[in-house]
Every structure is written in structure tokens, then in C-alpha cells.
């Protein structure tokens, strides 16, 4: 595995690796993804193997633009409208699969829907245009662990299971895309993410009554550092490190303090979240405590990831 600057030459090489069924890690505005040709069963199987991801958890197909997206799934007026408003950007739309959809059935885990997004990152766009295929790309971490927001994180997570890592610097948004299921009315918010729920208009939340998770990324334990994570911390416990959020002061007595945002800016906090969790995940600390973060805007996505990081670990 090599970390490479995203020169036109490196992007052309990455595209040929992908056309031959290999895997490439690449930056998006949300997190780094590990990409394979979404139409190639063997490439998709290699993604599941590299991540050690359960095969019932489907993958997002990334495309360069709406026109390419329309070849994968059925875009009704509602889908067209959302795509026009938020693409390119951190919104994934779950739409009915077209009978002619070239996406591997393994990538959609046998569902009759397909999840599609157009990422807003120059390297991602250049790669998608160079390869001319939809790219299945989950976050480039081992299943259940913290998502990578730098090329170095990807190298730590996936090592030699990817042929190359395109280095686009730190990801701007820092939490994954919002996943919206358009097969229900109103649409169902399957995963809070980079597009705040408040921007989407009327949506419903998935009922947790059903047994099988509708979006298997909703498995409870996820985004887990090695250390235990404790939420809504207002005072220190012995040896703990603190993930702090302003604008107030950090409570005293922690072994280390890392700020998500000193000023209480949720956009800044989202961008810092995964790198901060990684930085505090060290054996010299007894655990990671997190100050309360408001449940609004990007705070919903941040709290969703933190709740999963704090959840019991038996799932994976
Ligand atoms: O920001 C992102 O979305 C990143 C970057 C790399 O684009 N990708 C990402 O992929 O987070 P992944 O595979 O880690 O998460 C995909 C989520 C999962 O929760 C999965 O269950 C859900 O999307 N999903 C995929 N296809 C689906 C479908 N057909 N129906 C419902 N949920 C689906
Ligand atoms: Mg992920």
C-alpha cells in the first residue's frame, strides 16, 4: 500500500487499479472511503473482506453526477429535488434499484434499493470521472471502528488490503453522509450525517420496533475506539481523558483534554471528531469521557457516532 499525492497521473493509475477490480482508498468531504468497482462482484467482495464487514450491510454507490446516478436507481420528483439541492454533497439517497442497474447484488446486499451519492471533493470527482464506473465505497476503516479522516488513519486501519491511498488531506465535514430512505413517505432518516436533518424538511425517524435493522449501519456498536467511552460527562473519573466541547470551561481533573471546538461550533466539532477519538484512544488513559453536545444541526450526527462509540461492544 502506498500513500500518494492525488496528481492526475496517480488518479489515472488509481482508475486503472479500480477497472481491474482492485481497491483504492480516496478522500471525500465526509471521511475517507475504500473504493471498488460497484459493478464487479469480486471487487465488492474484496471490500467486505478488507473491512471485515458483515455482508448483510450494503454499500453506497458513488457517482460523479446525477446523470450517472439515474442509471443505478429510480429518481422520482422528490429524489430529483433533493439531488438538485444537495449534490454534490454529504447526502446519500436510498432509491429503488432499476432492473437494469449495473450495481452488484452483493453491494446492495440483495435489497431492492440502492444507496447513491455524489461526493463533494475534487479528488473524489476526478477519480469518478476517470474511472467512469460507480464506486462502492464504505468508510475506510475496519468494520465497527472509528472512521478515517486522514490518509494516515486509512493506513492504520487497512494497511496492505488496499493497493493505494490517495491523500487529499483532512476531510472537511468529518462525519459520514446523511442517509435518507426515499422509499417511504415522508422519507426516513436512516443515518444522521453531514447534511443536518433541519435542512431536509419533513422526515421520519426509523421505528426501532422491527427486528432486522433497515439500514444495517444502524447496528448499535460502531465507531468504537479501544477505550470505553462515557457520555455527558460533567466531572472527571480517575485516569480518564476528556473530549471537550465549548463554549464553557472543561471540568478539571482529567488526564488529558482534547477540544472538539472551544467556541462550541458544531461544524468544527464534526470535522475534529474522529481524529480526536483516535488521539485519545491510548492505553495510558482509563477511558474517554465526553462533554454534552447539543442535539441540533451536526450535533445529531456527532451524538449518533458518540452513542455508538459508547455502546456495549458485543455486536462485532
Ligand atoms: O460519507 C459517507 O457516506 C462515506 C463516504 C466514504 O462516502 N461512506 C460511508 O459508507 O459511510 P458506509 O458503508 O460506511 O455506510 C453506508 C451506510 C450504512 O449505514 C448502510 O447500512 C447504509 O448506508 N446503506 C447502504 N445501502 C443501503 C440501502 N440500500 N438501504 C438502506 N441503507 C443502506
Ligand atoms: Mg462506516
Amino acid at each position: 500500500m502506498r500513500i500518494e499525492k492525488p496528481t492526475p497521473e496517480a488518479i489515472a493509475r488509481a482508475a486503472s487499479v479500480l477497472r481491474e477490480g482492485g481497491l483504492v482508498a480516496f478522500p471525500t468531504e465526509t471521511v475517507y472511503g475504500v473504493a471498488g468497482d460497484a459493478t464487479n462482484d469480486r471487487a465488492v467482495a474484496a471490500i467486505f473482506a478488507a473491512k471485515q464487514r458483515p455482508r448483510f450491510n450494503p454499500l453506497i454507490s458513488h457517482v460523479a453526477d446525477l446523470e450517472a446516478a439515474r442509471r443505478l436507481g429510480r429518481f422520482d420528483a422528490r429524489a430529483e429535488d433533493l439531488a438538485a439541492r444537495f449534490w454534490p454533497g454529504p447526502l446519500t439517497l436510498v432509491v429503488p434499484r432499476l432492473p437494469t442497474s449495473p450495481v452488484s447484488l452483493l453491494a446492495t446486499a440483495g435489497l431492492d434499493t440502492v444507496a447513491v451519492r455524489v461526493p463533494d471533493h475534487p479528488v473524489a470527482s476526478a477519480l469518478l470521472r476517470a474511472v467512469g464506473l460507480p464506486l462502492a465505497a464504505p468508510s475506510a476503516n475496519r468494520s465497527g471502528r472509528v472512521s478515517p479522516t486522514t490518509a494516515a488513519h486509512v493506513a492504520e486501519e487497512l494497511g496492505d488490503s488496499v493497493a493505494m491511498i490517495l491523500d487529499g488531506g483532512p476531510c472537511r465535514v468529518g462525519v459520514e453522509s446523511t442517509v435518507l430512505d426515499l422509499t417511504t413517505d415522508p422519507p426516513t432518516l436512516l443515518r444522521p450525517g453531514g447534511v443536518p436533518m433541519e435542512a431536509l424538511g419533513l422526515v421520519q425517524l426509523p421505528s426501532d420496533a422491527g427486528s432486522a435493522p433497515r439500514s444495517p449501519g444502524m447496528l448499535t456498536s460502531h465507531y468504537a475506539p479501544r477505550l470505553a467511552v462515557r457520555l455527558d460527562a460533567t466531572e472527571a473519573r480517575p485516569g480518564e481523558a476528556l473530549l471537550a466541547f465549548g463554549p464553557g470551561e472543561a471540568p478539571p481533573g482529567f488526564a488529558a483534554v482534547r477540544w472538539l471546538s472551544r467556541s462550541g461550533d458544531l461544524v468544527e466539532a464534526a470535522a475534529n471528531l474522529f481524529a480526536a477519538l483516535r488521539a485519545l484512544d491510548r492505553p495510558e488513559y482509563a477511558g474517554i469521557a465526553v462533554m454534552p453536545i447539543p442535539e441540533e444541526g451536526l450535533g445529531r450526527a456527532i451524538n449518533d457516532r458518540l452513542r455508538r462509540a459508547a455502546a456495549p461492544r458485543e455486536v462485532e
Side-chain angles (χ1 to χ4, degrees), residues 26-34 47 51 53 56-62 89-95 107-109 111-117 119 136-141 147 175-181 190-191 194 213-219 222-223 305:
F26 74 117
T28 78
E29 79 280 32
T30 58
V31 301
Y32 276 73
V34 51
I47 295 175
K51 285 191 54 111
R53 173 163 170 138
F56 55 79
N57 193 357
L59 306 178
I60 297 171
S61 291
H62 297 66
L91 178 65
T92 294
L93 299 176
V94 174
V95 297
T108 52
L111 299 173
D112 54 9
T113 53
V114 60
V116 192
R117 93 173 185 98
S139 51
N141 52 280
S147 299
V175 290
E176 295 85 347
S177 60
T178 301
V179 180
L180 194 62
D181 181 355
L190 294 179
R191 178 175 73 181
R214 272 264 287 298
S215 181
M218 295 165 66
L219 288 169
H222 213 106
Y223 308 101
R305 306 311 185 263

Side-chain angles (χ1 to χ4, degrees), residues 70-285:
R70 290 192 195 107
R71 291 196 280 271
L72 312 185
R74 190 158 52 73
F75 279 68
D76 63 9
R78 224 171 30 161
E80 289 281 340
D81 173 63
L82 286 162
R85 280 161 60 206
F86 294 104
W87 283 358
L91 178 65
T92 294
L93 299 176
V94 174
V95 297
R97 237 188 110 97
L98 285 176
T100 53
S101 181
V103 172
S104 156
L105 291 170
L106 193 52
T108 52
L111 299 173
D112 54 9
T113 53
V114 60
V116 192
R117 93 173 185 98
V118 177
D120 183 16
H121 191 289
V123 177
S125 305
L127 183 63
L128 286 163
R129 288 189 196 288
V131 70
L133 292 162
L135 294 178
S139 51
N141 52 280
R142 277 168 298 140
S143 187
R145 305 207 59 91
V146 178
S147 299
T149 53
T150 68
H153 296 166
V154 179
E156 276 168 37
E157 288 289 326
L158 297 182
D160 285 327
S161 47
V162 290
M164 66 193 275
I165 302 173
L166 291 171
D167 187 353
C171 299
R172 175 172 57 81
V173 176
V175 290
E176 295 85 347
S177 60
T178 301
V179 180
L180 194 62
D181 181 355
L182 293 181
T183 65
T184 63
D185 190 16
T188 305
L189 181 72
L190 294 179
R191 178 175 73 181
V195 170
M197 189 173 112
E198 292 87 337
L200 292 173
L202 183 63
V203 297
Q204 58 181 317
L205 298 176
S207 75
D208 38 24
S211 48
R214 272 264 287 298
S215 181
M218 295 165 66
L219 288 169
T220 306
S221 174
H222 213 106
Y223 308 101
R226 288 171 187 83
L227 290 181
V229 175
R230 183 167 72 87
L231 303 181
D232 295 322
T234 49
E235 52 191 44
R237 291 186 189 164
E240 274 182 339
L242 179 70
L243 203 54
F245 183 80
E249 294 299 309
F254 286 93
V257 176
R258 176 113 181 185
W259 286 90
L260 289 177
S261 168
R262 278 185 185 274
S263 64
D265 177 347
L266 289 166
V267 174
E268 182 187 17
N272 289 330
L273 176 66
F274 290 137
L277 274 175
R278 253 171 221 279
L280 295 182
D281 193 18
R282 302 178 66 89
E284 60 258 42
Y285 305 133

